[in-house]
Structures are given as C-alpha cells and as structure tokens.
Coordinates of all heavy atoms in Angstrom, one line a residue:
P1426 N -0.8 -107.8 -22.0 CA -0.1 -106.7 -22.6 C -0.9 -105.4 -22.6 O -0.4 -104.3 -22.4 CB 0.2 -107.2 -24.0 CG 0.2 -108.7 -24.0 CD -0.8 -109.0 -22.9
E1427 N -2.2 -105.6 -22.9 CA -3.1 -104.4 -22.9 C -3.2 -103.8 -21.5 O -3.2 -102.6 -21.4 CB -4.5 -104.9 -23.4 CG -5.5 -103.8 -23.5 CD -6.9 -104.3 -23.9 OE1 -6.9 -105.3 -24.7 OE2 -7.9 -103.8 -23.4
V1428 N -3.4 -104.6 -20.5 CA -3.4 -104.1 -19.1 C -2.2 -103.4 -18.7 O -2.2 -102.4 -18.1 CB -3.8 -105.3 -18.2 CG1 -3.6 -104.9 -16.7 CG2 -5.2 -105.8 -18.4
A1429 N -1.0 -104.0 -19.1 CA 0.3 -103.4 -18.8 C 0.4 -102.1 -19.5 O 0.9 -101.1 -18.9 CB 1.4 -104.3 -19.1
R1430 N 0.0 -102.0 -20.7 CA 0.1 -100.7 -21.5 C -0.7 -99.6 -20.9 O -0.3 -98.5 -20.7 CB -0.3 -101.0 -22.9 CG 0.0 -99.9 -23.9 CD -0.4 -100.2 -25.3 NE 0.3 -101.5 -25.8 CZ -0.3 -102.6 -26.1 NH1 -1.6 -102.6 -26.1 NH2 0.4 -103.6 -26.5
S1431 N -2.0 -100.0 -20.5 CA -2.8 -99.0 -19.9 C -2.3 -98.6 -18.5 O -2.4 -97.4 -18.1 CB -4.3 -99.5 -19.8 OG -4.4 -100.6 -18.9
L1432 N -1.7 -99.5 -17.8 CA -1.1 -99.2 -16.5 C 0.1 -98.2 -16.7 O 0.2 -97.3 -15.9 CB -0.7 -100.5 -15.8 CG 0.0 -100.3 -14.4 CD1 -1.0 -99.8 -13.4 CD2 0.5 -101.6 -13.9
G1433 N 0.9 -98.5 -17.7 CA 2.0 -97.6 -18.0 C 1.5 -96.2 -18.3 O 2.1 -95.2 -17.9
K1434 N 0.5 -96.1 -19.2 CA -0.1 -94.8 -19.5 C -0.6 -94.1 -18.3 O -0.4 -92.9 -18.2 CB -1.2 -94.9 -20.6 CG -0.7 -95.3 -22.0 CD -1.8 -95.4 -22.9 CE -1.3 -95.8 -24.3 NZ -2.4 -96.0 -25.3
G1435 N -1.2 -94.8 -17.4 CA -1.7 -94.2 -16.2 C -0.6 -93.7 -15.3 O -0.7 -92.6 -14.7
I1436 N 0.5 -94.4 -15.2 CA 1.6 -93.9 -14.4 C 2.2 -92.7 -15.0 O 2.6 -91.7 -14.3 CB 2.7 -95.1 -14.3 CG1 2.1 -96.2 -13.4 CG2 4.0 -94.5 -13.7 CD1 3.0 -97.4 -13.4
V1437 N 2.3 -92.6 -16.4 CA 2.9 -91.5 -17.0 C 2.0 -90.2 -16.8 O 2.5 -89.2 -16.5 CB 3.1 -91.7 -18.5 CG1 3.3 -90.4 -19.3 CG2 4.2 -92.7 -18.8
E1438 N 0.7 -90.4 -16.9 CA -0.2 -89.3 -16.7 C -0.2 -88.8 -15.2 O -0.2 -87.6 -14.9 CB -1.7 -89.7 -17.0 CG -1.9 -89.8 -18.5 CD -1.8 -88.5 -19.2 OE1 -2.2 -87.5 -18.7 OE2 -1.3 -88.5 -20.3
F1439 N 0.0 -89.8 -14.3 CA 0.1 -89.4 -12.9 C 1.3 -88.6 -12.6 O 1.3 -87.6 -11.9 CB 0.1 -90.7 -12.0 CG 0.3 -90.5 -10.5 CD1 -0.8 -90.0 -9.8 CD2 1.5 -90.7 -9.9 CE1 -0.7 -89.8 -8.4 CE2 1.6 -90.5 -8.6 CZ 0.6 -90.0 -7.8
K1440 N 2.5 -89.1 -13.2 CA 3.7 -88.3 -13.0 C 3.6 -86.9 -13.6 O 4.1 -85.9 -13.1 CB 4.9 -89.1 -13.7 CG 5.3 -90.3 -12.9 CD 6.5 -90.9 -13.5 CE 7.0 -92.1 -12.7 NZ 8.2 -92.7 -13.4
R1441 N 3.0 -86.8 -14.8 CA 2.8 -85.5 -15.4 C 2.0 -84.6 -14.6 O 2.2 -83.4 -14.4 CB 2.1 -85.7 -16.8 CG 2.1 -84.5 -17.7 CD 1.6 -84.7 -19.0 NE 2.5 -85.6 -19.7 CZ 2.2 -86.5 -20.6 NH1 0.9 -86.7 -20.9 NH2 3.1 -87.3 -21.2
G1442 N 0.9 -85.1 -13.9 CA 0.1 -84.4 -13.0 C 0.8 -83.9 -11.8 O 0.7 -82.7 -11.4
I1443 N 1.7 -84.8 -11.2 CA 2.5 -84.4 -10.1 C 3.5 -83.3 -10.5 O 3.7 -82.4 -9.7 CB 3.2 -85.7 -9.5 CG1 2.2 -86.7 -9.0 CG2 4.2 -85.3 -8.5 CD1 1.5 -86.1 -7.7
K1444 N 4.1 -83.4 -11.6 CA 5.0 -82.4 -12.1 C 4.3 -81.1 -12.2 O 4.9 -80.0 -11.9 CB 5.6 -82.9 -13.4 CG 6.8 -82.0 -13.9 CD 8.0 -82.2 -12.9 CE 9.2 -81.6 -13.5 NZ 10.2 -81.5 -12.5
G1445 N 3.1 -81.1 -12.8 CA 2.4 -79.8 -12.9 C 2.1 -79.2 -11.6 O 2.2 -78.0 -11.4
V1446 N 1.7 -80.0 -10.6 CA 1.4 -79.5 -9.2 C 2.7 -78.9 -8.6 O 2.7 -77.9 -8.0 CB 0.8 -80.6 -8.3 CG1 0.8 -80.1 -6.9 CG2 -0.6 -80.9 -8.8
Q1447 N 3.8 -79.6 -8.8 CA 5.1 -79.2 -8.3 C 5.5 -77.8 -8.9 O 6.0 -76.9 -8.2 CB 6.2 -80.2 -8.5 CG 6.2 -81.4 -7.6 CD 7.3 -82.4 -7.9 OE1 7.9 -82.4 -9.0 NE2 7.6 -83.3 -7.0
D1448 N 5.4 -77.7 -10.2 CA 5.7 -76.5 -10.9 C 4.8 -75.3 -10.4 O 5.3 -74.2 -10.2 CB 5.5 -76.6 -12.4 CG 6.6 -77.5 -13.0 OD1 7.6 -77.7 -12.4 OD2 6.4 -77.9 -14.2
E1449 N 3.5 -75.6 -10.2 CA 2.6 -74.6 -9.7 C 3.0 -74.1 -8.3 O 3.0 -73.0 -8.0 CB 1.2 -75.1 -9.7 CG 0.1 -74.1 -9.4 CD -1.3 -74.6 -9.6 OE1 -1.5 -75.5 -10.5 OE2 -2.1 -74.2 -8.8
L1450 N 3.3 -75.1 -7.4 CA 3.8 -74.8 -6.1 C 5.1 -74.0 -6.1 O 5.2 -73.0 -5.3 CB 3.9 -76.0 -5.3 CG 2.7 -76.7 -4.7 CD1 3.0 -78.0 -4.0 CD2 1.9 -75.8 -3.8
N1451 N 6.0 -74.4 -6.9 CA 7.3 -73.6 -7.0 C 7.0 -72.2 -7.5 O 7.7 -71.3 -7.0 CB 8.2 -74.3 -8.0 CG 8.8 -75.6 -7.3 OD1 8.7 -75.8 -6.1 ND2 9.3 -76.5 -8.2
S1452 N 6.1 -72.0 -8.4 CA 5.9 -70.6 -8.9 C 5.2 -69.8 -7.8 O 5.3 -68.6 -7.8 CB 5.0 -70.6 -10.2 OG 3.7 -71.1 -9.9
V1453 N 4.4 -70.4 -7.0 CA 3.7 -69.7 -5.9 C 4.7 -69.3 -4.8 O 4.7 -68.2 -4.3 CB 2.5 -70.5 -5.3 CG1 2.0 -69.9 -4.0 CG2 1.4 -70.6 -6.3
V1454 N 5.6 -70.3 -4.5 CA 6.6 -70.1 -3.4 C 7.6 -69.1 -3.8 O 8.0 -68.2 -3.1 CB 7.2 -71.4 -3.0 CG1 8.4 -71.2 -2.1 CG2 6.2 -72.3 -2.4
D1455 N 8.2 -69.2 -5.0 CA 9.2 -68.3 -5.5 C 8.8 -67.8 -6.9 O 9.0 -68.4 -7.9 CB 10.5 -69.1 -5.6 CG 11.7 -68.1 -5.9 OD1 11.5 -66.9 -5.9 OD2 12.8 -68.7 -6.2
P1456 N 8.1 -66.7 -6.9 CA 7.6 -66.2 -8.2 C 8.7 -65.8 -9.2 O 8.4 -65.6 -10.4 CB 6.7 -64.9 -7.8 CG 7.0 -64.7 -6.4 CD 7.7 -65.8 -5.8
R1457 N 9.9 -65.7 -8.8 CA 11.0 -65.3 -9.7 C 11.4 -66.4 -10.6 O 11.9 -66.2 -11.7 CB 12.3 -64.9 -8.9 CG 12.0 -63.6 -8.1 CD 13.3 -63.2 -7.3 NE 13.3 -64.2 -6.2 CZ 14.4 -64.6 -5.6 NH1 15.6 -64.1 -6.0 NH2 14.5 -65.5 -4.7
T1458 N 11.1 -67.7 -10.2 CA 11.4 -68.8 -11.1 C 10.4 -68.9 -12.2 O 9.2 -68.9 -12.0 CB 11.5 -70.1 -10.3 OG1 10.2 -70.3 -9.7 CG2 12.5 -70.1 -9.3
P1459 N 10.9 -68.9 -13.4 CA 9.9 -69.0 -14.6 C 9.3 -70.3 -14.6 O 9.9 -71.4 -14.4 CB 10.8 -68.7 -15.8 CG 12.2 -69.2 -15.4 CD 12.3 -68.9 -13.9
A1460 N 8.0 -70.3 -14.9 CA 7.3 -71.6 -15.0 C 7.6 -72.2 -16.4 O 7.8 -71.5 -17.4 CB 5.8 -71.3 -15.0
R1461 N 7.9 -73.5 -16.4 CA 8.2 -74.2 -17.6 C 7.0 -74.3 -18.5 O 5.9 -74.6 -18.0 CB 8.7 -75.6 -17.3 CG 10.1 -75.6 -16.8 CD 10.6 -77.0 -16.7 NE 10.7 -77.3 -15.3 CZ 10.8 -78.4 -14.7 NH1 10.8 -79.5 -15.5 NH2 10.9 -78.6 -13.4
P1462 N 7.1 -74.1 -19.8 CA 6.0 -74.2 -20.6 C 5.6 -75.7 -20.7 O 6.5 -76.6 -20.6 CB 6.5 -73.8 -22.0 CG 7.9 -73.8 -21.9 CD 8.3 -73.7 -20.5
P1463 N 4.3 -76.0 -20.8 CA 3.9 -77.4 -20.9 C 4.5 -78.1 -22.1 O 4.6 -77.5 -23.1 CB 2.4 -77.4 -20.9 CG 2.1 -76.0 -21.4 CD 3.2 -75.1 -21.0

C-alpha cells in the first residue's frame, strides 16, 4: 500500500508538471490565451 501510494503521488506530480509545460508552451505559441493560475 505504501509503494502504491507513493507511485500514485508520483504520477500526479508528473501530470501536474506536464500540464505546466503545456500551459507554458500554449502561452508562448498564442500569447492572447490567458495563462491559468496555478
């Protein structure tokens, strides 16, 4: 259970990081789109 919990937290952090990179790329490509607040 402890290993599964830490694996789940890692996946959530990974998805959050990917979302941040996507938002940053979208703001560079189209500066008119407002960046979402974290």
Side-chain angles (χ1 to χ4, degrees):
E1427 179 183 327
V1428 170
R1430 192 175 303 117
S1431 63
L1432 181 65
K1434 286 180 182 178
I1436 290 172
V1437 167
E1438 287 297 322
F1439 178 75
K1440 285 182 178 181
R1441 191 174 292 147
I1443 293 296
K1444 189 68 170 167
V1446 170
Q1447 283 178 342
D1448 288 347
E1449 189 175 325
L1450 283 175
N1451 288 341
S1452 67
V1453 169
V1454 170
D1455 188 9
R1457 293 177 290 152
T1458 57
R1461 282 186 254 166

